[in-house]
Amino acid sequence: MKRNVLKNAWAICLAFITLCSTLTSCDKKDDDKLPSYADFVEFQITRCERVGGVLMVDFTVTNKKDYNLKVTLENQTVTDNTGKNYRTLVWGSDISNSTGIAMNEDPFYGNVSFNLISEGSMSGHLKVYDYDPADRATAVSLQIGVGLESIQLGNNTFIRTNIATTDNRVKEHGVQTNDSKLAYQVTSCTYDDGNVDIAFTVTNNTGQTLKVLRFNEESDRAGYVAYDDMGNNYTTGRGTRFLSLDGEDWRSSIETTVPAGGKLNLVARVTDVRSNANEMSLSFLVTSDDYVCNDNTVRFLSIPIEKE
């Protein structure tokens, strides 16, 4: 009797396993029958570059069909070759270790939806915030979820592995800029009675008037940092007046307008500097309501101090 019960139990188990396998197999076959995103759109990586504190991955999306498509890109994951992961920026979360995505010159968000005309292309940008602070990564792999309105996809993930990163940053004796279209040039760096003043120009090469260009030390994740070549740190608290448009009216932030092709003359001041300092480094934030910057931190690195 016990033997028959065991036989029945085994028979039930085998039937259940067979049913599960059949269902899984059917699901897989069904997925295999569904089209892939690659049947509709093609991705091409055009740039993967370290810019300041972020990584910028530029790409194009091309519609392979002779009809319009509504495309959604989301659920980005970037993994550098040291094993560190960066994931989609979630609204209200810490921006560090996150990614944002944008099409054309639009602001960056966690995901993006856009219309892609028949056989047309559009440029896109994937930004990795606070990328590789240890400066060890040289390549990344990425995944981007692809959705097409009214089309069910089997494979809906664009994957590209081992993308080499380029790094053209200034790392000493110069300006590590937030964006190649905002050109910075140091004109002097002088010491006087404990103050070091770094005079510099900013030229607007964006091709458009920036009605609001803002320099600011205040931020939850970055801000005004200053240190000399002797290891002394002069980082200040919020509210310190360290920037000037005219060399007299010192402020903690400056908001101004600069026309296309226009140039600003500014001075950044570091106070209570040790007399034996020979070089000064500092960084602060720059944002614009009219232009999307690649990286919002500008860094002046090891600028020689002129002394009388």
Side-chain angles (χ1 to χ4, degrees):
M1 187 73 174
K2 286 184 180 178
R3 190 172 294 174
N4 288 335
V5 172
L6 287 172
K7 279 185 177 180
N8 290 337
W10 274 110
I12 292 170
C13 287
L14 286 171
F16 180 73
I17 291 170
T18 302
L19 177 61
C20 289
S21 299
T22 301
L23 290 173
T24 302
S25 176
C26 288
D27 288 344
K28 188 176 188 308
K29 287 179 181 178
D30 289 343
D31 282 345
D32 289 343
K33 292 178 182 177
L34 292 173
S36 167
Y37 79 88
D39 296 325
F40 298 88
V41 295
E42 180 179 14
F43 287 83
Q44 182 179 4
I45 304 297
T46 57
R47 180 178 71 135
C48 183
E49 182 178 1
R50 176 74 178 264
V51 182
V54 306
L55 182 75
M56 296 297 300
V57 183
D58 296 341
F59 58 91
T60 59
V61 187
T62 301
N63 184 353
K64 299 166 70 174
K65 301 296 184 180
D66 60 358
Y67 50 84
N68 296 348
L69 294 171
K70 178 69 175 292
V71 183
T72 297
L73 303 180
E74 58 188 350
N75 299 328
Q76 310 90 245
T77 299
V78 176
T79 305
D80 67 32
N81 61 319
T82 70
K84 187 171 181 179
N85 290 319
Y86 309 85
R87 301 187 185 279
T88 302
L89 176 64
V90 178
W91 181 258
S93 67
D94 184 0
I95 202 170
S96 62
N97 301 333
S98 295
T99 66
I101 198 164
M103 302 306 295
N104 295 330
E105 300 302 323
D106 295 334
F108 286 86
Y109 294 105
N111 56 63
V112 64
S113 294
F114 55 96
N115 293 311
L116 197 56
I117 64 171
S118 166
E119 299 180 347
S121 296
M122 188 174 290
S123 62
H125 315 280
L126 178 65
K127 178 189 290 189
V128 182
Y129 296 92
D130 300 321
Y131 176 73
D132 182 36
D135 252 356
R136 294 181 299 175
T138 57
V140 295
S141 298
L142 65 87
Q143 298 184 24
I144 303 175
V146 184
L148 300 174
E149 188 176 67
S150 303
I151 300 174
Q152 187 177 0
L153 298 174
N155 174 18
N156 62 353
T157 305
F158 167 70
I159 299 174
R160 187 64 56 85
T161 60
N162 199 32
I163 307 168
T165 61
T166 57
D167 188 347
N168 299 312
R169 293 174 297 161
V170 171
K171 296 188 177 180
E172 61 179 359
H173 306 301
V175 184
Q176 192 180 100
T177 67
N178 66 309
D179 195 290
S180 59
K181 294 182 180 179
L182 292 175
Y184 293 76
Q185 183 176 1
V186 175
T187 55
S188 67
C189 179
T190 57
Y191 178 91
D192 181 34
D193 195 24
N195 294 328
V196 168
D197 288 349
I198 300 179
F200 62 98
T201 62
V202 184
T203 303
N204 176 11
N205 293 327
T206 65
Q208 64 188 79
T209 295
L210 301 181
K211 296 178 182 178
V212 178
L213 182 61
R214 186 182 301 107
F215 302 90
N216 196 345
E217 71 169 278
E218 298 182 8
S219 171
D220 290 335
R221 67 183 182 89
Y224 175 62
V225 175
Y227 54 92
D228 65 26
D229 59 315
M230 307 303 292
N232 299 305
N233 191 310
Y234 304 100
T235 301
T236 66
R238 293 184 177 184
T240 300
R241 303 186 176 200
F242 78 112
L243 275 174
S244 175
L245 271 170
D246 54 17
E248 296 180 359
D249 185 15
W250 297 94
R251 308 176 185 179
S252 61
S253 64
I254 288 176
E255 186 175 295
T256 188
T257 297
V258 53
K263 182 183 292 186
L264 296 175
N265 295 285
L266 297 100
V267 183
R269 168 167 289 181
V270 184
T271 60
D272 300 321
V273 177
R274 307 292 172 80
S275 60
N276 61 346
N278 298 301
E279 295 176 347
M280 183 59 62
S281 299
L282 63 86
S283 64
F284 50 88
L285 303 179
V286 59
T287 57
S288 174
D289 293 349
D290 310 291
Y291 179 72
V292 179
C293 299
N294 284 348
D295 181 22
N296 294 109
T297 303
V298 177
R299 299 169 179 86
F300 291 73
L301 301 176
S302 53
I303 307 299
I305 300 172
E306 305 165 18
K307 296 180 180 178
E308 292 185 357

